[in-house]
Amino acid sequence: MKKLLALLLACTTLTCAFASCGDEDDDKDEKTTKSSAADEEESEEESEEESEDDEEETEEETEEETEEETEEETEEETTKSKKKDDDDEDNTEAADFDFGDPVSVAEDDLLGKWELYAVDEEDGLFIGEYMGAPLGSIMNMEFSDDETFIFRSFDEDSLDGTWSVSGKTITLTTDSGDEDDAVYYNGTYLVMDTGDEMMAFVKVDEFTEFDYDAWMEEIMSQNE
């Protein structure tokens, strides 16, 4: 009987011990579970905060890049637009220019100073200037009331002679005796048709002045 009681007591003790261990393990598991859940929750919160921060930074960077790209595109479009406007203006002026046909000319129409305004040659139509040099200073003519004329160009000696008009015809006779009627009046310009090129001269009060030495030096330096 005593042995049986002792055995029962021992079993009870072991059972209690196991139960106690089990409770402790359950407590530990519960604590571990709670701790893990808290850690996970904290980690999720941190991840969400980091994600929000990353999203905010990404949005700010995207906005900055978009603003920069927009500014660059606007500047580029403005530059292109300005260039296009300038080109359109030049093309319009060139497209609208007409050398016209001969009309009747009087002596008073011819008298005075005329300088080159437009040239139509193999390289194209030039109005106002050529390679930075004003056309008016490249070539000019002057007709005096004593029926003499002088033709000047920046790179050649002047040419002198006499002139006469009849109807639509202007005849120029050089001092060497050569006659030329390739010049005509179209109502606005004196036009010279050399066959290879067309030149239009406009009447001015004073001839255009230009420093050809400096211009030539600049042209030469660009070609070196």
Side-chain angles (χ1 to χ4, degrees), residues 111-185:
L111 291 176
K113 296 180 172 68
W114 299 80
E115 64 180 26
L116 190 61
Y117 173 72
V119 178
D120 190 4
E121 59 176 17
E122 184 179 352
D123 293 335
L125 175 62
F126 301 92
I127 297 178
E129 68 172 37
Y130 177 77
M131 295 181 64
L135 289 177
S137 61
I138 291 177
M139 195 175 294
N140 63 58
M141 293 186 289
E142 185 171 3
F143 295 85
S144 301
D145 55 10
D146 61 357
E147 295 187 350
T148 61
F149 77 89
I150 182 170
F151 177 87
R152 309 179 186 89
S153 63
F154 82 99
D155 59 349
E156 296 180 3
D157 293 335
S158 61
L159 182 65
D160 301 273
T162 60
W163 60 269
S164 64
V165 297
S166 176
K168 298 180 181 180
T169 303
I170 300 173
T171 302
L172 304 181
T173 304
T174 65
D175 288 345
S176 60
D178 296 329
E179 285 191 1
D180 192 351
D181 57 3
V183 177
Y184 67 86
Y185 181 60

Side-chain angles (χ1 to χ4, degrees), residues 211-224:
D211 188 347
Y212 277 101
D213 291 337
W215 180 65
M216 290 299 296
E217 288 179 2
E218 182 179 354
I219 295 297
M220 296 298 294
S221 64
Q222 292 176 356
N223 293 329
E224 289 180 354

Side-chain angles (χ1 to χ4, degrees), residues 187-200:
T188 302
Y189 303 105
L190 276 180
V191 179
M192 182 180 293
D193 184 358
T194 66
D196 295 328
E197 60 186 6
M198 299 280 289
M199 295 180 287

Side-chain angles (χ1 to χ4, degrees), residues 103-117:
V103 300
S104 295
V105 56
E107 292 183 357
D108 289 342
D109 294 328
L110 198 58
L111 291 176
K113 296 180 172 68
W114 299 80
E115 64 180 26
L116 190 61
Y117 173 72

